Amino acid sequence: MSELEPPQRQAPDSLMLTGFWYRALPADRVHRNQLHQAMLLEIPLVIGRDRAGHPFALRDACPHRGMPLNCGKFDGKNIECSYHGWTFDAHNGQCQIIPSLTADQNLKVDRIYAGSYPCEEQDGFIWVYLPDPSPPGAGFAKPEEAPDPAPLIEKFSDKYKLAYLTADMPVSIDHGIIGHMDPAHGPFVHQAWWWRSRHSIHEKKKNFEPIPNGFRMSAHTPSSNSAPYKLLRLYADADSITTMIDFTLPNLRNETIRAGKYWFSSLTTVTPITRNQCRIDVVAAWNIFRWLPFGPEMLKFVFAKFVEQDRRTMELQAEGLKHNPHLMLIDDADRPAKWYFQLKAAHLEAKRTASAMKHPMSGPVTLKWRS
Ligand code: FES
Ligand SMILES: [Fe+2]
């Protein structure tokens, strides 16, 4: 394999993977008996909660003539389309009423469905499962089941705090994802007086190993300039702190930091909204600072700052990408990005050939870079 490889040659740029769960909306923005719009992988959705508070997700288009269902009436159980009044069960999309039918017309109303998707609330977010596109004939297709539940944040005690941050990024899913796994941008993008300067650059060496559908930065003592590490050091011995970071397809970055009985976990997702737009959602759970009134605010402040720096960088990068420049990925700092493209390609190939996925990594690897 050559040292320099443009991402385009490793996987189709901005291809959005179906057959996975995606974060759609923060749970606290979705209210009972109300309808909200969301977009995932260029699919417009209407999301809501029924009377009992259970969330649901439907395709935001009436199967009759395409009217957005979010314009309809919702009584906490069924959605009535605003165009001709067809009414659908909010959870499975099954048609209940077609008001224009006369008593002697025997169209089987209950065989008609508005597109609906598996939907779950998990760790402060409404998740939606997007199955692989079904064969044509939509309108009569029953909803699909998700093969497994929505991803969870790993927690190590009963009591913990939870907070989220979200930001839109005007770049494709691939640039969004590799921009967050890339270790070399830190000293240039994430400078702050209370954090680090570019003079803090030093050589790092990290071990990686393959895991199903992804790769892991093996458990190690975290780099002394990571935010949660600095906070945790107030509680525990520097040496007793370990961190582990997993990336798994399609877009999950799971970081766990543990120091004795204290822990900090985050699940960051970069979600494709359209071909040229993605959104980062960071959800963190922790049991440190639970008693400190400003603890969560402090953590949120630190993360908000990072996320904003990344967002601003990608906004500028999008300008550069507009005219399709040649790009390259180098070893070792861009190796995780290469694995990402290879995993994506291997996943698609496994699907195409209906066979087991061939993992691009054959075993543990040590990477070195300066950051
Ligand atoms: S478009 Fe929805 S009922 Fe006709
Ligand atoms: Fe960053």
Side-chain angles (χ1 to χ4, degrees):
M1 199 186 289
S2 85
E3 285 282 290
L4 304 174
E5 271 170 300
Q8 290 90 333
R9 265 185 240 150
Q10 298 180 34
D13 197 24
S14 88
L15 203 122
M16 304 181 282
L17 298 180
T18 50
F20 289 103
W21 285 96
Y22 287 100
R23 277 181 175 141
L25 288 173
D28 59 6
R29 290 192 203 159
V30 181
H31 306 292
R32 267 175 213 224
N33 305 333
Q34 286 182 22
L35 301 175
H36 306 265
Q37 287 174 272
M39 169 88 72
L40 289 178
L41 285 66
E42 294 186 344
I43 301 169
L45 300 171
V46 55
I47 290 179
R49 284 185 196 277
D50 62 18
R51 270 172 220 153
H54 300 303
F56 58 83
L58 297 174
R59 196 178 176 110
D60 196 11
C62 176
H64 179 215
R65 299 248 293 278
M67 190 67 162
L69 289 173
N70 81 77
C71 310
K73 252 193 233 146
F74 178 47
D75 63 3
K77 185 171 187 297
N78 297 315
I79 300 178
E80 182 192 276
C81 178
S82 60
Y83 203 169
H84 312 94
W86 293 23
T87 298
F88 305 93
D89 179 297
H91 280 285
N92 62 15
Q94 191 174 39
C95 189
Q96 310 292 308
I97 303 163
I98 295 183
S100 63
L101 291 177
T102 61
D104 58 336
Q105 291 170 337
N106 53 6
L107 176 70
K108 292 203 172 58
V109 169
D110 59 358
R111 287 189 49 226
I112 297 173
Y113 285 85
S116 86
Y117 299 91
C119 182
E120 277 179 22
E121 183 166 354
Q122 193 63 268
D123 294 325
F125 262 80
I126 306 292
W127 293 74
V128 175
Y129 178 80
L130 295 180
D132 295 328
S134 47
F140 294 99
K142 287 190 185 177
E144 273 191 51
E145 303 263 316
D148 38 44
L152 259 179
I153 300 182
E154 218 184 334
K155 302 169 196 85
F156 305 94
S157 57
D158 294 339
K159 289 195 172 154
Y160 56 86
K161 294 253 182 194
L162 196 78
Y164 73 85
L165 274 176
T166 170
D168 292 307
M169 313 267 177
V171 290
S172 76
I173 178 63
D174 291 343
H175 283 294
I177 284 182
I178 68 175
H180 287 97
M181 54 175 60
D182 146 27
H185 75 287
F188 300 92
V189 172
H190 301 301
Q191 287 176 22
W193 65 264
W194 41 270
W195 180 246
R196 63 180 304 175
S197 71
R198 53 192 289 177
H199 304 296
S200 64
I201 281 195
H202 59 280
E203 187 168 317
K204 287 177 190 151
K205 204 169 155 180
K206 299 273 155 69
N207 298 321
F208 290 82
E209 58 195 284
I211 56 172
N213 261 333
F215 54 88
R216 163 172 299 165
M217 187 192 281
S218 316
H220 61 283
T221 302
S223 148
S224 51
N225 43 35
S226 91
Y229 175 80
K230 286 189 173 174
L231 296 174
L232 270 167
R233 238 185 23 194
L234 304 174
Y235 283 91
D237 238 353
D239 297 337
S240 74
I241 305 177
T242 59
T243 184
M244 198 169 81
I245 304 174
D246 286 355
F247 174 80
T248 35
L249 285 179
N251 67 345
L252 308 166
R253 182 191 190 274
N254 223 312
E255 178 165 11
T256 335
I257 303 179
R258 303 191 69 176
K261 60 179 180 167
Y262 297 109
W263 57 271
F264 175 94
S265 274
S266 64
L267 179 61
T268 301
T269 51
V270 180
T271 302
I273 306 301
T274 65
R275 221 154 286 271
N276 303 311
Q277 203 191 340
C278 59
R279 191 191 62 233
I280 182 168
D281 299 306
V282 184
V283 182
W286 66 92
N287 75 342
I288 45 169
F289 292 121
R290 278 200 311 111
W291 44 268
L292 244 182
F294 59 86
E297 283 68 37
M298 198 161 120
L299 269 174
K300 247 189 136 151
F301 170 79
V302 171
F303 277 87
K305 182 118 188 164
F306 289 164
V307 167
E308 175 52 24
Q309 288 164 336
D310 283 326
R311 194 201 59 76
R312 178 66 190 140
T313 303
M314 288 186 187
E315 198 171 73
L316 296 171
Q317 184 190 15
E319 284 301 310
L321 289 171
K322 261 186 197 160
H323 307 286
N324 228 353
H326 284 281
L327 307 173
M328 62 182 75
L329 294 174
I330 65 158
D331 285 331
D332 281 353
D334 288 332
R335 189 81 72 84
K338 289 187 180 186
W339 289 332
Y340 164 68
F341 284 113
Q342 289 164 355
L343 279 165
K344 205 170 160 182
H347 169 81
L348 291 168
E349 181 60 12
K351 245 184 180 174
R352 196 183 62 80
T353 55
S355 53
M357 177 167 148
K358 265 182 70 191
H359 203 290
M361 294 169 77
S362 53
V365 181
T366 303
L367 300 185
K368 291 199 299 186
W369 65 79
R370 284 169 48 80
S371 68

